Amino acid sequence: MKDQQPSRVDQMLNLLVEEIEERMRVGKGPPPAAESLAVEAPIPPVVPQAEPVKSVEAVAEPEVEVVEPVEAVAGFEEMELEERWQPPAPAVSPKAARLMGRLALGLLVAIVLINIPLNRHGTTLATAMPDSAALIIRDGLVVKEEDDEEIYVLQDGKLRWISSLDAFEHFGFTWGDVHIVEDGFLDQFEKGTPLHVLLKCRDSPHIYRLEGGVKRWIVDIAAFEAEGHVWEDVQFVSCGHLRDLPDGETIPPGHGPPPQP
Amino acid sequence: MNNLAIIETILRNRHRFFTEIRGGVELGQKMRAMLVSSMAFLALYGAVMGSTHSLWQALSSAAKLPLLFLATLVVCSPTLYFFNLIFGSDQSLTQNFALILTAITVTAVLLLSFAPIVLFFLLTTSHYQFFKLLNVGVFTVAGVVGVTFLSQGMRVVSASGKEGAQARRNVLRLWILIYAFVGSQMAWTLRPFIGAPSMKFELFRQLGGNFYANIFASIGEILGFFTVR
């Protein structure tokens, strides 16, 4: 038993010396073998190995000449390793790569989900929030307050009310253009003249202005021009459609019942 | 080589990775893997950014963000290569390319890791200027970490050529500045990536203004000094 013990220690010491020699040979750059060793033994080998060396001294007195150089080398190694020891790289497992793949897949699914239109206006989860804080105030901006039906367009810094659905379509707006803002947000803007659409049928000389669902007869050219209208705003519709629209006050008011187209 | 496994190697064992680049070990495979994974991650992040506006913007940003990084890489890498050559580097252009690609890959991975946060803010706030600045911040952090990797990689790959090492380090610092300027100008040219909510979708916006003035204006609006019109 006592005979076998020194030989085991010898073996350990030989291994240690070989390792130290190899490291000294390689110099400062960490060899690949050292890396794999570091992975297996993450704690610097200096401290735990001090004890076995002492025990060798105590048990195997005659082998002092073997132990002493090892102690010397171990001391040197201690200094060396303290200088160049770095935390060992953890064993590379594919966990992070797998996690990355899953994260990418999850994101892809999320992107698809938040871009699915939720209603016929094409509102998606990503664009569902009232976006007054997100607006860039510029000409052509179409806005509507949350609890108000009126739609406005910003032109020359003024809000112009779009007076009817026909006007909305006539001026080329779509529901996708409309930005819903919090109530009261539009109070900060000056109001400009409303945007109207003018209706006329081919069999009648009269021109009507569609306003809030009723047609208002424009009595003459002077009134037409005084209201700031231009011929490009006149939209041709069927006379039947015009007749079906309820009558409103004439422009200017007080000209009696309007003629029917 | 697994495209994602290479990222794990870069992140966990970068010294070995750079040593392999120095030795020219499987450079082609490495570059292909980095290119595929970084482009995929950048596309995903681009899609997240664009989702704040519309589906078209999401698709457009998914295509444009990888393009932005690729174009910057192509524009900037010859400068780094030739300047390094002048100051005694023995690196090849492919090694240079691989190192810059490593930086882009690290940036892309970090952007991917930030994507859930950006997505969270996308769904919970609608302040355009804030969202824009949030993204600028995310890109800055990811970019800085990316170029740090590049700097470390350069040190390892150039370890054999001691002559002119200090000069090469200075060149790299200067190059990183150029890279940032070119990248930001490229981003400005390829904008919009987020898409202003009050504007219709457009693939590219008219040139005019510059990146830095725009960021300054956004900060001003967030702090309540003025409104961007």
Side-chain angles (χ1 to χ4, degrees):
Chain A
M1 193 72 183
K2 212 178 177 184
D3 292 340
Q4 284 173 355
Q5 211 172 9
S7 69
R8 249 191 233 160
V9 172
D10 276 351
Q11 281 177 353
M12 282 172 62
L13 289 172
N14 285 339
L15 279 172
L16 186 63
V17 169
E18 277 172 21
E19 177 61 25
I20 292 163
E21 281 174 352
E22 195 184 325
R23 287 194 180 197
M24 287 174 71
R25 251 201 325 275
V26 172
K28 292 225 166 187
E35 263 183 24
S36 63
L37 191 80
V39 170
E40 284 165 16
I43 303 164
V46 180
V47 179
Q49 280 178 9
E51 288 235 334
V53 171
K54 271 182 192 168
S55 69
V56 168
E57 276 180 317
V59 176
E61 196 66 37
E63 293 176 6
V64 168
E65 66 267 21
V66 179
V67 174
E68 270 182 356
V70 170
E71 273 185 330
V73 175
F76 175 73
E77 184 209 38
E78 192 173 340
M79 284 165 56
E80 273 276 296
L81 287 177
E82 268 178 9
E83 276 175 17
R84 63 192 171 96
W85 184 83
Q86 287 175 339
V92 175
S93 74
K95 274 183 186 170
R98 214 178 303 147
L99 186 70
M100 231 177 293
R102 284 177 186 169
L103 177 62
L105 198 66
L107 266 177
L108 189 65
V109 172
I111 290 165
V112 171
L113 284 178
I114 63 171
N115 280 296
I116 293 174
L118 300 174
N119 58 23
R120 66 192 175 88
H121 302 312
T123 308
T124 63
L125 198 60
T127 56
M129 292 187 72
D131 55 2
S132 59
L135 290 180
I136 289 185
I137 311 300
R138 59 172 182 87
D139 267 6
L141 177 68
V142 185
V143 280
K144 170 188 174 309
E145 286 187 349
E146 254 181 319
D147 294 331
D148 191 357
E149 286 184 354
E150 313 294 3
I151 300 173
Y152 299 88
V153 61
L154 195 72
Q155 281 179 358
D156 299 325
K158 291 177 181 173
L159 275 185
R160 299 186 69 186
W161 172 50
I162 303 171
S163 64
S164 64
L165 191 62
D166 293 74
F168 184 81
E169 286 169 356
H170 174 70
F171 289 105
F173 300 123
T174 63
W175 286 108
D177 299 331
V178 181
H179 296 276
I180 299 165
V181 296
E182 289 94 352
D183 292 332
F185 177 77
L186 299 181
D187 295 347
Q188 61 182 303
F189 297 99
E190 194 184 332
K191 296 280 191 297
T193 53
L195 271 182
H196 298 292
V197 69
L198 306 177
L199 299 178
K200 182 181 182 311
C201 70
R202 296 199 186 278
D203 299 335
S204 164
H206 303 298
I207 295 175
Y208 301 86
R209 187 164 89 188
L210 195 61
E211 202 177 308
V214 298
K215 65 173 189 291
R216 295 181 66 190
W217 175 49
I218 302 173
V219 296
D220 52 23
I221 298 292
F224 182 89
E225 287 175 349
E227 288 291 314
H229 296 311
V230 289
W231 287 105
E232 285 73 28
D233 293 343
V234 179
Q235 207 179 339
F236 283 89
V237 291
S238 71
C239 292
H241 174 67
L242 259 184
R243 274 193 291 270
D244 289 343
L245 292 170
D247 292 317
E249 183 61 85
T250 59
I251 301 172
H255 282 263
Q260 291 304 311
Chain B
M1 188 178 282
N2 186 332
N3 294 337
L4 293 179
I6 199 165
I7 293 173
E8 187 142 1
T9 312
I10 296 170
L11 298 179
R12 285 189 193 273
N13 204 349
R14 73 188 86 158
H15 193 278
R16 197 184 93 193
F17 184 78
F18 292 141
T19 310
E20 284 181 5
I21 289 182
R22 184 172 64 186
V25 182
E26 295 179 338
L27 266 187
Q29 269 183 301
K30 280 188 176 63
M31 284 169 63
R32 197 166 44 247
M34 286 194 287
L35 201 63
V36 169
S37 47
S38 60
M39 292 305 113
F41 293 168
L42 289 171
L44 275 173
Y45 190 84
V48 171
M49 277 203 299
S51 293
T52 187
H53 185 276
S54 60
L55 181 61
W56 284 114
Q57 185 62 58
L59 293 174
S60 155
S61 300
K64 284 198 291 183
L65 195 60
L67 182 69
L68 162 70
F69 277 84
L70 269 185
T72 311
L73 169 73
V74 170
V75 168
C76 290
S77 55
T79 321
L80 184 64
Y81 172 66
F82 285 110
F83 267 92
N84 272 334
L85 216 60
I86 289 168
F87 291 103
S89 167
D90 56 355
Q91 290 171 35
S92 67
L93 183 61
T94 318
Q95 282 172 320
N96 250 281
F97 219 73
L99 282 175
I100 303 174
L101 211 49
T102 310
I104 290 177
T105 307
V106 171
T107 306
V109 170
L110 288 181
L111 286 179
L112 182 80
S113 67
F114 272 118
I117 297 171
V118 174
L119 197 64
F120 166 75
F121 279 106
L122 184 152
L123 293 172
T124 55
T125 177
S126 60
H127 201 297
Y128 171 63
Q129 306 298 354
F130 166 77
F131 194 70
K132 194 161 69 178
L133 289 178
L134 174 75
N135 276 286
V136 170
V138 166
F139 272 90
T140 307
V141 171
V144 165
V145 177
V147 294
T148 307
F149 265 71
L150 172 68
S151 172
Q152 289 173 353
M154 276 289 175
R155 226 173 295 148
V156 174
V157 175
S158 308
S160 53
K162 298 285 182 204
E163 197 184 325
Q166 183 57 43
R168 283 202 301 276
R169 266 197 293 277
N170 290 336
V171 164
L172 180 65
R173 282 184 199 128
L174 197 68
W175 183 85
I176 286 171
L177 275 180
I178 294 169
Y179 181 71
F181 271 110
V182 171
S184 53
Q185 186 56 31
M186 191 75 77
W188 185 253
T189 310
L190 294 177
R191 81 194 198 284
F193 288 93
I194 298 173
S198 58
M199 297 171 94
K200 286 185 175 170
F201 165 71
E202 46 193 354
L203 194 57
F204 297 106
R205 203 171 285 163
Q206 279 183 331
L207 288 175
N210 69 64
F211 175 79
Y212 301 99
N214 191 267
I215 294 305
F216 177 72
S218 296
I219 293 171
E221 183 170 325
I222 277 195
L223 298 177
F225 294 137
F226 47 79
T227 304
V228 179
R229 283 176 185 266

